[in-house]
PDB file of all heavy atoms in Angstrom:
ATOM      1  N   LEU A   1      18.126  -1.965 -80.574  1.00 98.00           N
ATOM      2  CA  LEU A   1      17.393  -2.389 -79.384  1.00 98.00           C
ATOM      3  C   LEU A   1      17.149  -3.896 -79.374  1.00 98.00           C
ATOM      4  O   LEU A   1      17.283  -4.547 -78.329  1.00 98.00           O
ATOM      5  CB  LEU A   1      16.070  -1.629 -79.288  1.00 98.00           C
ATOM      6  CG  LEU A   1      16.212  -0.128 -79.015  1.00 98.00           C
ATOM      7  CD1 LEU A   1      14.910   0.588 -79.320  1.00 98.00           C
ATOM      8  CD2 LEU A   1      16.671   0.123 -77.589  1.00 98.00           C
ATOM      9  N   LYS A   2      16.808  -4.456 -80.519  1.00 97.00           N
ATOM     10  CA  LYS A   2      16.593  -5.906 -80.608  1.00 97.00           C
ATOM     11  C   LYS A   2      17.859  -6.658 -80.213  1.00 97.00           C
ATOM     12  O   LYS A   2      17.802  -7.648 -79.473  1.00 97.00           O
ATOM     13  CB  LYS A   2      16.159  -6.296 -82.021  1.00 97.00           C
ATOM     14  CG  LYS A   2      14.760  -5.869 -82.375  1.00 97.00           C
ATOM     15  CD  LYS A   2      14.453  -6.172 -83.841  1.00 97.00           C
ATOM     16  CE  LYS A   2      13.093  -5.681 -84.253  1.00 97.00           C
ATOM     17  NZ  LYS A   2      12.776  -5.989 -85.660  1.00 97.00           N
ATOM     18  N   LYS A   3      19.000  -6.182 -80.710  1.00 97.00           N
ATOM     19  CA  LYS A   3      20.280  -6.830 -80.390  1.00 97.00           C
ATOM     20  C   LYS A   3      20.570  -6.741 -78.894  1.00 97.00           C
ATOM     21  O   LYS A   3      20.940  -7.734 -78.261  1.00 97.00           O
ATOM     22  CB  LYS A   3      21.403  -6.170 -81.189  1.00 97.00           C
ATOM     23  CG  LYS A   3      22.760  -6.799 -80.983  1.00 97.00           C
ATOM     24  CD  LYS A   3      23.794  -6.167 -81.906  1.00 97.00           C
ATOM     25  CE  LYS A   3      25.082  -6.937 -81.871  1.00 97.00           C
ATOM     26  NZ  LYS A   3      26.105  -6.345 -81.064  1.00 97.00           N
ATOM     27  N   ALA A   4      20.377  -5.564 -78.324  1.00 98.00           N
ATOM     28  CA  ALA A   4      20.626  -5.381 -76.890  1.00 98.00           C
ATOM     29  C   ALA A   4      19.701  -6.267 -76.055  1.00 98.00           C
ATOM     30  O   ALA A   4      20.138  -6.888 -75.077  1.00 98.00           O
ATOM     31  CB  ALA A   4      20.445  -3.908 -76.511  1.00 98.00           C
ATOM     32  N   LEU A   5      18.433  -6.341 -76.432  1.00 97.00           N
ATOM     33  CA  LEU A   5      17.480  -7.168 -75.691  1.00 97.00           C
ATOM     34  C   LEU A   5      17.807  -8.648 -75.818  1.00 97.00           C
ATOM     35  O   LEU A   5      17.631  -9.413 -74.866  1.00 97.00           O
ATOM     36  CB  LEU A   5      16.055  -6.893 -76.172  1.00 97.00           C
ATOM     37  CG  LEU A   5      15.495  -5.533 -75.750  1.00 97.00           C
ATOM     38  CD1 LEU A   5      14.266  -5.187 -76.583  1.00 97.00           C
ATOM     39  CD2 LEU A   5      15.167  -5.520 -74.264  1.00 97.00           C
ATOM     40  N   ASP A   6      18.304  -9.057 -76.973  1.00 96.00           N
ATOM     41  CA  ASP A   6      18.681 -10.453 -77.168  1.00 96.00           C
ATOM     42  C   ASP A   6      19.919 -10.808 -76.349  1.00 96.00           C
ATOM     43  O   ASP A   6      20.002 -11.895 -75.778  1.00 96.00           O
ATOM     44  CB  ASP A   6      18.930 -10.728 -78.657  1.00 96.00           C
ATOM     45  CG  ASP A   6      19.157 -12.196 -78.934  1.00 96.00           C
ATOM     46  OD1 ASP A   6      18.279 -13.010 -78.576  1.00 96.00           O
ATOM     47  OD2 ASP A   6      20.222 -12.530 -79.494  1.00 96.00           O
ATOM     48  N   GLU A   7      20.859  -9.862 -76.280  1.00 97.00           N
ATOM     49  CA  GLU A   7      22.111 -10.118 -75.567  1.00 97.00           C
ATOM     50  C   GLU A   7      21.966  -9.988 -74.056  1.00 97.00           C
ATOM     51  O   GLU A   7      22.665 -10.658 -73.300  1.00 97.00           O
ATOM     52  CB  GLU A   7      23.206  -9.169 -76.063  1.00 97.00           C
ATOM     53  CG  GLU A   7      23.642  -9.444 -77.480  1.00 97.00           C
ATOM     54  CD  GLU A   7      24.612  -8.405 -78.027  1.00 97.00           C
ATOM     55  OE1 GLU A   7      24.836  -7.356 -77.379  1.00 97.00           O
ATOM     56  OE2 GLU A   7      25.144  -8.650 -79.129  1.00 97.00           O
ATOM     57  N   ARG A   8      21.068  -9.091 -73.610  1.00 97.00           N
ATOM     58  CA  ARG A   8      20.932  -8.820 -72.172  1.00 97.00           C
ATOM     59  C   ARG A   8      19.450  -8.751 -71.760  1.00 97.00           C
ATOM     60  O   ARG A   8      18.977  -7.727 -71.269  1.00 97.00           O
ATOM     61  CB  ARG A   8      21.624  -7.501 -71.821  1.00 97.00           C
ATOM     62  CG  ARG A   8      23.103  -7.485 -72.127  1.00 97.00           C
ATOM     63  CD  ARG A   8      23.838  -6.228 -71.673  1.00 97.00           C
ATOM     64  NE  ARG A   8      23.077  -5.042 -71.456  1.00 97.00           N
ATOM     65  CZ  ARG A   8      22.841  -4.080 -72.367  1.00 97.00           C
ATOM     66  NH1 ARG A   8      23.302  -4.204 -73.577  1.00 97.00           N
ATOM     67  NH2 ARG A   8      22.149  -2.993 -72.050  1.00 97.00           N
ATOM     68  N   PRO A   9      18.692  -9.822 -71.936  1.00 97.00           N
ATOM     69  CA  PRO A   9      17.260  -9.774 -71.639  1.00 97.00           C
ATOM     70  C   PRO A   9      16.947  -9.439 -70.182  1.00 97.00           C
ATOM     71  O   PRO A   9      15.892  -8.874 -69.891  1.00 97.00           O
ATOM     72  CB  PRO A   9      16.759 -11.169 -72.009  1.00 97.00           C
ATOM     73  CG  PRO A   9      17.970 -12.037 -71.957  1.00 97.00           C
ATOM     74  CD  PRO A   9      19.121 -11.156 -72.352  1.00 97.00           C
ATOM     75  N   GLU A  10      17.866  -9.750 -69.289  1.00 97.00           N
ATOM     76  CA  GLU A  10      17.637  -9.429 -67.880  1.00 97.00           C
ATOM     77  C   GLU A  10      17.628  -7.921 -67.623  1.00 97.00           C
ATOM     78  O   GLU A  10      17.095  -7.458 -66.614  1.00 97.00           O
ATOM     79  CB  GLU A  10      18.683 -10.122 -66.986  1.00 97.00           C
ATOM     80  CG  GLU A  10      20.100  -9.604 -67.152  1.00 97.00           C
ATOM     81  CD  GLU A  10      20.861 -10.150 -68.363  1.00 97.00           C
ATOM     82  OE1 GLU A  10      20.302 -10.922 -69.171  1.00 97.00           O
ATOM     83  OE2 GLU A  10      22.043  -9.785 -68.508  1.00 97.00           O
ATOM     84  N   ASP A  11      18.181  -7.148 -68.554  1.00 97.00           N
ATOM     85  CA  ASP A  11      18.226  -5.684 -68.439  1.00 97.00           C
ATOM     86  C   ASP A  11      17.147  -5.010 -69.279  1.00 97.00           C
ATOM     87  O   ASP A  11      17.264  -3.833 -69.625  1.00 97.00           O
ATOM     88  CB  ASP A  11      19.598  -5.165 -68.883  1.00 97.00           C
ATOM     89  CG  ASP A  11      20.727  -5.648 -67.991  1.00 97.00           C
ATOM     90  OD1 ASP A  11      20.484  -5.871 -66.784  1.00 97.00           O
ATOM     91  OD2 ASP A  11      21.852  -5.827 -68.511  1.00 97.00           O
ATOM     92  N   PHE A  12      16.073  -5.733 -69.631  1.00 97.00           N
ATOM     93  CA  PHE A  12      15.088  -5.208 -70.571  1.00 97.00           C
ATOM     94  C   PHE A  12      14.502  -3.870 -70.141  1.00 97.00           C
ATOM     95  O   PHE A  12      14.277  -3.001 -70.971  1.00 97.00           O
ATOM     96  CB  PHE A  12      13.981  -6.233 -70.861  1.00 97.00           C
ATOM     97  CG  PHE A  12      12.990  -6.446 -69.763  1.00 97.00           C
ATOM     98  CD1 PHE A  12      11.821  -5.695 -69.706  1.00 97.00           C
ATOM     99  CD2 PHE A  12      13.208  -7.420 -68.796  1.00 97.00           C
ATOM    100  CE1 PHE A  12      10.893  -5.905 -68.699  1.00 97.00           C
ATOM    101  CE2 PHE A  12      12.282  -7.638 -67.790  1.00 97.00           C
ATOM    102  CZ  PHE A  12      11.126  -6.874 -67.726  1.00 97.00           C
ATOM    103  N   GLU A  13      14.257  -3.680 -68.849  1.00 96.00           N
ATOM    104  CA  GLU A  13      13.645  -2.419 -68.408  1.00 96.00           C
ATOM    105  C   GLU A  13      14.558  -1.230 -68.684  1.00 96.00           C
ATOM    106  O   GLU A  13      14.104  -0.185 -69.121  1.00 96.00           O
ATOM    107  CB  GLU A  13      13.259  -2.507 -66.932  1.00 96.00           C
ATOM    108  CG  GLU A  13      12.096  -3.456 -66.709  1.00 96.00           C
ATOM    109  CD  GLU A  13      11.800  -3.702 -65.247  1.00 96.00           C
ATOM    110  OE1 GLU A  13      12.743  -3.809 -64.441  1.00 96.00           O
ATOM    111  OE2 GLU A  13      10.600  -3.789 -64.920  1.00 96.00           O
ATOM    112  N   GLN A  14      15.840  -1.399 -68.424  1.00 97.00           N
ATOM    113  CA  GLN A  14      16.807  -0.334 -68.683  1.00 97.00           C
ATOM    114  C   GLN A  14      16.976  -0.108 -70.189  1.00 97.00           C
ATOM    115  O   GLN A  14      17.024   1.033 -70.656  1.00 97.00           O
ATOM    116  CB  GLN A  14      18.147  -0.677 -68.049  1.00 97.00           C
ATOM    117  CG  GLN A  14      19.220   0.359 -68.312  1.00 97.00           C
ATOM    118  CD  GLN A  14      20.563  -0.068 -67.757  1.00 97.00           C
ATOM    119  OE1 GLN A  14      20.693  -1.098 -67.087  1.00 97.00           O
ATOM    120  NE2 GLN A  14      21.581   0.709 -68.054  1.00 97.00           N
ATOM    121  N   ILE A  15      17.046  -1.176 -70.958  1.00 98.00           N
ATOM    122  CA  ILE A  15      17.268  -1.080 -72.400  1.00 98.00           C
ATOM    123  C   ILE A  15      16.125  -0.331 -73.079  1.00 98.00           C
ATOM    124  O   ILE A  15      16.360   0.524 -73.933  1.00 98.00           O
ATOM    125  CB  ILE A  15      17.452  -2.490 -73.012  1.00 98.00           C
ATOM    126  CG1 ILE A  15      18.773  -3.091 -72.533  1.00 98.00           C
ATOM    127  CG2 ILE A  15      17.395  -2.431 -74.540  1.00 98.00           C
ATOM    128  CD1 ILE A  15      18.926  -4.577 -72.810  1.00 98.00           C
ATOM    129  N   ILE A  16      14.874  -0.616 -72.708  1.00 98.00           N
ATOM    130  CA  ILE A  16      13.755   0.033 -73.401  1.00 98.00           C
ATOM    131  C   ILE A  16      13.622   1.509 -73.039  1.00 98.00           C
ATOM    132  O   ILE A  16      12.943   2.256 -73.734  1.00 98.00           O
ATOM    133  CB  ILE A  16      12.417  -0.716 -73.213  1.00 98.00           C
ATOM    134  CG1 ILE A  16      11.911  -0.647 -71.774  1.00 98.00           C
ATOM    135  CG2 ILE A  16      12.534  -2.140 -73.721  1.00 98.00           C
ATOM    136  CD1 ILE A  16      10.509  -1.206 -71.578  1.00 98.00           C
ATOM    137  N   GLU A  17      14.275   1.947 -71.977  1.00 97.00           N
ATOM    138  CA  GLU A  17      14.256   3.371 -71.634  1.00 97.00           C
ATOM    139  C   GLU A  17      15.278   4.165 -72.438  1.00 97.00           C
ATOM    140  O   GLU A  17      15.158   5.371 -72.575  1.00 97.00           O
ATOM    141  CB  GLU A  17      14.510   3.575 -70.139  1.00 97.00           C
ATOM    142  CG  GLU A  17      13.372   3.169 -69.252  1.00 97.00           C
ATOM    143  CD  GLU A  17      12.076   3.927 -69.483  1.00 97.00           C
ATOM    144  OE1 GLU A  17      12.078   5.030 -70.071  1.00 97.00           O
ATOM    145  OE2 GLU A  17      11.030   3.391 -69.082  1.00 97.00           O
ATOM    146  N   ASP A  18      16.266   3.499 -72.993  1.00 94.00           N
ATOM    147  CA  ASP A  18      17.384   4.150 -73.672  1.00 94.00           C
ATOM    148  C   ASP A  18      17.096   4.362 -75.152  1.00 94.00           C
ATOM    149  O   ASP A  18      17.826   3.887 -76.012  1.00 94.00           O
ATOM    150  CB  ASP A  18      18.646   3.306 -73.482  1.00 94.00           C
ATOM    151  CG  ASP A  18      19.885   3.961 -74.050  1.00 94.00           C
ATOM    152  OD1 ASP A  18      19.924   5.207 -74.132  1.00 94.00           O
ATOM    153  OD2 ASP A  18      20.818   3.227 -74.436  1.00 94.00           O
ATOM    154  N   THR A  19      16.006   5.076 -75.447  1.00 96.00           N
ATOM    155  CA  THR A  19      15.609   5.313 -76.836  1.00 96.00           C
ATOM    156  C   THR A  19      14.574   6.423 -76.896  1.00 96.00           C
ATOM    157  O   THR A  19      13.915   6.721 -75.895  1.00 96.00           O
ATOM    158  CB  THR A  19      15.034   4.025 -77.474  1.00 96.00           C
ATOM    159  OG1 THR A  19      14.723   4.281 -78.846  1.00 96.00           O
ATOM    160  CG2 THR A  19      13.801   3.540 -76.754  1.00 96.00           C
ATOM    161  N   ASP A  20      14.416   7.002 -78.077  1.00 95.00           N
ATOM    162  CA  ASP A  20      13.350   7.981 -78.294  1.00 95.00           C
ATOM    163  C   ASP A  20      12.035   7.309 -78.669  1.00 95.00           C
ATOM    164  O   ASP A  20      11.000   7.958 -78.728  1.00 95.00           O
ATOM    165  CB  ASP A  20      13.738   8.958 -79.411  1.00 95.00           C
ATOM    166  CG  ASP A  20      14.867   9.888 -78.986  1.00 95.00           C
ATOM    167  OD1 ASP A  20      15.005  10.142 -77.770  1.00 95.00           O
ATOM    168  OD2 ASP A  20      15.609  10.350 -79.866  1.00 95.00           O
ATOM    169  N   LEU A  21      12.071   6.010 -78.949  1.00 97.00           N
ATOM    170  CA  LEU A  21      10.863   5.284 -79.329  1.00 97.00           C
ATOM    171  C   LEU A  21      10.005   4.991 -78.101  1.00 97.00           C
ATOM    172  O   LEU A  21      10.509   4.884 -76.988  1.00 97.00           O
ATOM    173  CB  LEU A  21      11.225   3.965 -80.004  1.00 97.00           C
ATOM    174  CG  LEU A  21      12.019   4.053 -81.299  1.00 97.00           C
ATOM    175  CD1 LEU A  21      12.414   2.657 -81.772  1.00 97.00           C
ATOM    176  CD2 LEU A  21      11.238   4.781 -82.362  1.00 97.00           C
ATOM    177  N   ALA A  22       8.720   4.833 -78.329  1.00 98.00           N
ATOM    178  CA  ALA A  22       7.825   4.311 -77.299  1.00 98.00           C
ATOM    179  C   ALA A  22       7.854   2.791 -77.440  1.00 98.00           C
ATOM    180  O   ALA A  22       7.831   2.275 -78.554  1.00 98.00           O
ATOM    181  CB  ALA A  22       6.415   4.850 -77.507  1.00 98.00           C
ATOM    182  N   ILE A  23       7.926   2.085 -76.323  1.00 98.00           N
ATOM    183  CA  ILE A  23       8.035   0.633 -76.377  1.00 98.00           C
ATOM    184  C   ILE A  23       7.095   0.007 -75.348  1.00 98.00           C
ATOM    185  O   ILE A  23       7.007   0.466 -74.209  1.00 98.00           O
ATOM    186  CB  ILE A  23       9.472   0.160 -76.085  1.00 98.00           C
ATOM    187  CG1 ILE A  23      10.437   0.738 -77.115  1.00 98.00           C
ATOM    188  CG2 ILE A  23       9.557  -1.368 -76.072  1.00 98.00           C
ATOM    189  CD1 ILE A  23      11.888   0.438 -76.845  1.00 98.00           C
ATOM    190  N   CYS A  24       6.425  -1.054 -75.809  1.00 98.00           N
ATOM    191  CA  CYS A  24       5.665  -1.879 -74.868  1.00 98.00           C
ATOM    192  C   CYS A  24       6.044  -3.328 -75.082  1.00 98.00           C
ATOM    193  O   CYS A  24       6.434  -3.737 -76.180  1.00 98.00           O
ATOM    194  CB  CYS A  24       4.160  -1.670 -75.020  1.00 98.00           C
ATOM    195  SG  CYS A  24       3.445  -2.351 -76.523  1.00 98.00           S
ATOM    196  N   ILE A  25       5.948  -4.094 -73.998  1.00 98.00           N
ATOM    197  CA  ILE A  25       6.195  -5.527 -74.050  1.00 98.00           C
ATOM    198  C   ILE A  25       4.934  -6.203 -73.541  1.00 98.00           C
ATOM    199  O   ILE A  25       4.422  -5.870 -72.469  1.00 98.00           O
ATOM    200  CB  ILE A  25       7.417  -5.914 -73.192  1.00 98.00           C
ATOM    201  CG1 ILE A  25       8.676  -5.189 -73.699  1.00 98.00           C
ATOM    202  CG2 ILE A  25       7.619  -7.433 -73.201  1.00 98.00           C
ATOM    203  CD1 ILE A  25       9.918  -5.412 -72.857  1.00 98.00           C
ATOM    204  N   THR A  26       4.435  -7.143 -74.352  1.00 98.00           N
ATOM    205  CA  THR A  26       3.230  -7.883 -73.986  1.00 98.00           C
ATOM    206  C   THR A  26       3.540  -9.374 -73.919  1.00 98.00           C
ATOM    207  O   THR A  26       4.437  -9.860 -74.597  1.00 98.00           O
ATOM    208  CB  THR A  26       2.088  -7.624 -74.990  1.00 98.00           C
ATOM    209  OG1 THR A  26       2.569  -7.848 -76.326  1.00 98.00           O
ATOM    210  CG2 THR A  26       1.569  -6.196 -74.884  1.00 98.00           C
ATOM    211  N   ASN A  27       2.745 -10.072 -73.112  1.00 98.00           N
ATOM    212  CA  ASN A  27       2.944 -11.508 -72.959  1.00 98.00           C
ATOM    213  C   ASN A  27       2.013 -12.288 -73.883  1.00 98.00           C
ATOM    214  O   ASN A  27       1.306 -11.687 -74.704  1.00 98.00           O
ATOM    215  CB  ASN A  27       2.778 -11.928 -71.494  1.00 98.00           C
ATOM    216  CG  ASN A  27       1.387 -11.655 -70.951  1.00 98.00           C
ATOM    217  OD1 ASN A  27       0.421 -11.450 -71.690  1.00 98.00           O
ATOM    218  ND2 ASN A  27       1.276 -11.659 -69.633  1.00 98.00           N
ATOM    219  N   GLU A  28       1.988 -13.584 -73.734  1.00 97.00           N
ATOM    220  CA  GLU A  28       1.156 -14.430 -74.601  1.00 97.00           C
ATOM    221  C   GLU A  28      -0.328 -14.106 -74.481  1.00 97.00           C
ATOM    222  O   GLU A  28      -1.084 -14.300 -75.424  1.00 97.00           O
ATOM    223  CB  GLU A  28       1.361 -15.908 -74.260  1.00 97.00           C
ATOM    224  CG  GLU A  28       2.627 -16.487 -74.832  1.00 97.00           C
ATOM    225  CD  GLU A  28       2.721 -17.972 -74.579  1.00 97.00           C
ATOM    226  OE1 GLU A  28       2.742 -18.372 -73.394  1.00 97.00           O
ATOM    227  OE2 GLU A  28       2.768 -18.727 -75.571  1.00 97.00           O
ATOM    228  N   GLU A  29      -0.736 -13.624 -73.327  1.00 98.00           N
ATOM    229  CA  GLU A  29      -2.140 -13.267 -73.109  1.00 98.00           C
ATOM    230  C   GLU A  29      -2.444 -11.849 -73.585  1.00 98.00           C
ATOM    231  O   GLU A  29      -3.521 -11.323 -73.320  1.00 98.00           O
ATOM    232  CB  GLU A  29      -2.503 -13.400 -71.634  1.00 98.00           C
ATOM    233  CG  GLU A  29      -2.518 -14.836 -71.125  1.00 98.00           C
ATOM    234  CD  GLU A  29      -1.121 -15.364 -70.810  1.00 98.00           C
ATOM    235  OE1 GLU A  29      -0.275 -14.585 -70.329  1.00 98.00           O
ATOM    236  OE2 GLU A  29      -0.868 -16.552 -71.065  1.00 98.00           O
ATOM    237  N   ALA A  30      -1.478 -11.219 -74.259  1.00 98.00           N
ATOM    238  CA  ALA A  30      -1.618  -9.867 -74.811  1.00 98.00           C
ATOM    239  C   ALA A  30      -1.725  -8.804 -73.725  1.00 98.00           C
ATOM    240  O   ALA A  30      -2.262  -7.725 -73.941  1.00 98.00           O
ATOM    241  CB  ALA A  30      -2.803  -9.781 -75.777  1.00 98.00           C
ATOM    242  N   LYS A  31      -1.174  -9.097 -72.559  1.00 98.00           N
ATOM    243  CA  LYS A  31      -1.187  -8.133 -71.457  1.00 98.00           C
ATOM    244  C   LYS A  31       0.161  -7.432 -71.365  1.00 98.00           C
ATOM    245  O   LYS A  31       1.213  -8.043 -71.572  1.00 98.00           O
ATOM    246  CB  LYS A  31      -1.517  -8.832 -70.142  1.00 98.00           C
ATOM    247  CG  LYS A  31      -2.939  -9.354 -70.130  1.00 98.00           C
ATOM    248  CD  LYS A  31      -3.291  -9.975 -68.812  1.00 98.00           C
ATOM    249  CE  LYS A  31      -4.751 -10.440 -68.859  1.00 98.00           C
ATOM    250  NZ  LYS A  31      -5.138 -11.089 -67.626  1.00 98.00           N
ATOM    251  N   PHE A  32       0.091  -6.143 -71.037  1.00 98.00           N
ATOM    252  CA  PHE A  32       1.321  -5.373 -70.865  1.00 98.00           C
ATOM    253  C   PHE A  32       2.147  -5.942 -69.712  1.00 98.00           C
ATOM    254  O   PHE A  32       1.642  -6.135 -68.609  1.00 98.00           O
ATOM    255  CB  PHE A  32       1.003  -3.906 -70.538  1.00 98.00           C
ATOM    256  CG  PHE A  32       0.422  -3.117 -71.675  1.00 98.00           C
ATOM    257  CD1 PHE A  32      -0.913  -2.723 -71.645  1.00 98.00           C
ATOM    258  CD2 PHE A  32       1.198  -2.732 -72.757  1.00 98.00           C
ATOM    259  CE1 PHE A  32      -1.458  -1.963 -72.667  1.00 98.00           C
ATOM    260  CE2 PHE A  32       0.657  -1.975 -73.799  1.00 98.00           C
ATOM    261  CZ  PHE A  32      -0.672  -1.592 -73.749  1.00 98.00           C
ATOM    262  N   VAL A  33       3.425  -6.155 -69.991  1.00 98.00           N
ATOM    263  CA  VAL A  33       4.389  -6.577 -68.989  1.00 98.00           C
ATOM    264  C   VAL A  33       5.295  -5.403 -68.637  1.00 98.00           C
ATOM    265  O   VAL A  33       5.714  -5.243 -67.496  1.00 98.00           O
ATOM    266  CB  VAL A  33       5.225  -7.768 -69.522  1.00 98.00           C
ATOM    267  CG1 VAL A  33       6.368  -8.114 -68.598  1.00 98.00           C
ATOM    268  CG2 VAL A  33       4.324  -8.959 -69.758  1.00 98.00           C
ATOM    269  N   ALA A  34       5.589  -4.575 -69.646  1.00 98.00           N
ATOM    270  CA  ALA A  34       6.449  -3.402 -69.449  1.00 98.00           C
ATOM    271  C   ALA A  34       6.119  -2.359 -70.501  1.00 98.00           C
ATOM    272  O   ALA A  34       5.719  -2.693 -71.619  1.00 98.00           O
ATOM    273  CB  ALA A  34       7.928  -3.795 -69.536  1.00 98.00           C
ATOM    274  N   VAL A  35       6.300  -1.106 -70.114  1.00 98.00           N
ATOM    275  CA  VAL A  35       6.200   0.033 -71.031  1.00 98.00           C
ATOM    276  C   VAL A  35       7.284   1.015 -70.623  1.00 98.00           C
ATOM    277  O   VAL A  35       7.637   1.102 -69.448  1.00 98.00           O
ATOM    278  CB  VAL A  35       4.802   0.718 -70.985  1.00 98.00           C
ATOM    279  CG1 VAL A  35       3.715  -0.198 -71.514  1.00 98.00           C
ATOM    280  CG2 VAL A  35       4.460   1.184 -69.582  1.00 98.00           C
ATOM    281  N   ASN A  36       7.826   1.730 -71.599  1.00 98.00           N
ATOM    282  CA  ASN A  36       8.831   2.721 -71.231  1.00 98.00           C
ATOM    283  C   ASN A  36       8.177   4.083 -71.006  1.00 98.00           C
ATOM    284  O   ASN A  36       6.971   4.263 -71.230  1.00 98.00           O
ATOM    285  CB  ASN A  36       9.981   2.762 -72.245  1.00 98.00           C
ATOM    286  CG  ASN A  36       9.606   3.350 -73.593  1.00 98.00           C
ATOM    287  OD1 ASN A  36       8.458   3.677 -73.867  1.00 98.00           O
ATOM    288  ND2 ASN A  36      10.607   3.471 -74.466  1.00 98.00           N
ATOM    289  N   ASN A  37       8.976   5.032 -70.543  1.00 98.00           N
ATOM    290  CA  ASN A  37       8.453   6.374 -70.242  1.00 98.00           C
ATOM    291  C   ASN A  37       7.855   7.050 -71.465  1.00 98.00           C
ATOM    292  O   ASN A  37       6.851   7.754 -71.353  1.00 98.00           O
ATOM    293  CB  ASN A  37       9.538   7.251 -69.624  1.00 98.00           C
ATOM    294  CG  ASN A  37       9.854   6.857 -68.198  1.00 98.00           C
ATOM    295  OD1 ASN A  37       9.015   6.301 -67.489  1.00 98.00           O
ATOM    296  ND2 ASN A  37      11.073   7.115 -67.770  1.00 98.00           N
ATOM    297  N   ASN A  38       8.463   6.843 -72.635  1.00 98.00           N
ATOM    298  CA  ASN A  38       7.914   7.452 -73.854  1.00 98.00           C
ATOM    299  C   ASN A  38       6.524   6.890 -74.161  1.00 98.00           C
ATOM    300  O   ASN A  38       5.648   7.614 -74.611  1.00 98.00           O
ATOM    301  CB  ASN A  38       8.845   7.236 -75.046  1.00 98.00           C
ATOM    302  CG  ASN A  38      10.095   8.063 -74.939  1.00 98.00           C
ATOM    303  OD1 ASN A  38      10.088   9.149 -74.392  1.00 98.00           O
ATOM    304  ND2 ASN A  38      11.189   7.540 -75.449  1.00 98.00           N
ATOM    305  N   TYR A  39       6.334   5.616 -73.911  1.00 98.00           N
ATOM    306  CA  TYR A  39       5.025   5.011 -74.142  1.00 98.00           C
ATOM    307  C   TYR A  39       3.987   5.656 -73.230  1.00 98.00           C
ATOM    308  O   TYR A  39       2.899   6.024 -73.680  1.00 98.00           O
ATOM    309  CB  TYR A  39       5.101   3.497 -73.900  1.00 98.00           C
ATOM    310  CG  TYR A  39       3.945   2.727 -74.489  1.00 98.00           C
ATOM    311  CD1 TYR A  39       4.026   2.207 -75.774  1.00 98.00           C
ATOM    312  CD2 TYR A  39       2.771   2.503 -73.764  1.00 98.00           C
ATOM    313  CE1 TYR A  39       2.977   1.481 -76.330  1.00 98.00           C
ATOM    314  CE2 TYR A  39       1.722   1.788 -74.311  1.00 98.00           C
ATOM    315  CZ  TYR A  39       1.817   1.285 -75.583  1.00 98.00           C
ATOM    316  OH  TYR A  39       0.776   0.588 -76.132  1.00 98.00           O
ATOM    317  N   THR A  40       4.310   5.804 -71.962  1.00 98.00           N
ATOM    318  CA  THR A  40       3.342   6.407 -71.032  1.00 98.00           C
ATOM    319  C   THR A  40       3.083   7.868 -71.387  1.00 98.00           C
ATOM    320  O   THR A  40       1.966   8.344 -71.241  1.00 98.00           O
ATOM    321  CB  THR A  40       3.811   6.288 -69.567  1.00 98.00           C
ATOM    322  OG1 THR A  40       5.039   6.982 -69.390  1.00 98.00           O
ATOM    323  CG2 THR A  40       3.961   4.838 -69.152  1.00 98.00           C
ATOM    324  N   LYS A  41       4.106   8.541 -71.866  1.00 97.00           N
ATOM    325  CA  LYS A  41       3.936   9.952 -72.253  1.00 97.00           C
ATOM    326  C   LYS A  41       2.962  10.084 -73.425  1.00 97.00           C
ATOM    327  O   LYS A  41       2.012  10.860 -73.360  1.00 97.00           O
ATOM    328  CB  LYS A  41       5.295  10.553 -72.634  1.00 97.00           C
ATOM    329  CG  LYS A  41       5.217  12.006 -73.089  1.00 97.00           C
ATOM    330  CD  LYS A  41       6.591  12.530 -73.452  1.00 97.00           C
ATOM    331  CE  LYS A  41       6.711  12.564 -74.946  1.00 97.00           C
ATOM    332  NZ  LYS A  41       7.968  13.085 -75.453  1.00 97.00           N
TER     333      LYS A  41
END
């Protein structure tokens, strides 16, 4: 996932959905920018 996100950061929303892991992305202010379906589940 790290490699995919580094190579295609513009596709981050799609990339984080393609896994069994729960994933969240936070910004410098520690606020959620994105979460995948597993995270919400």
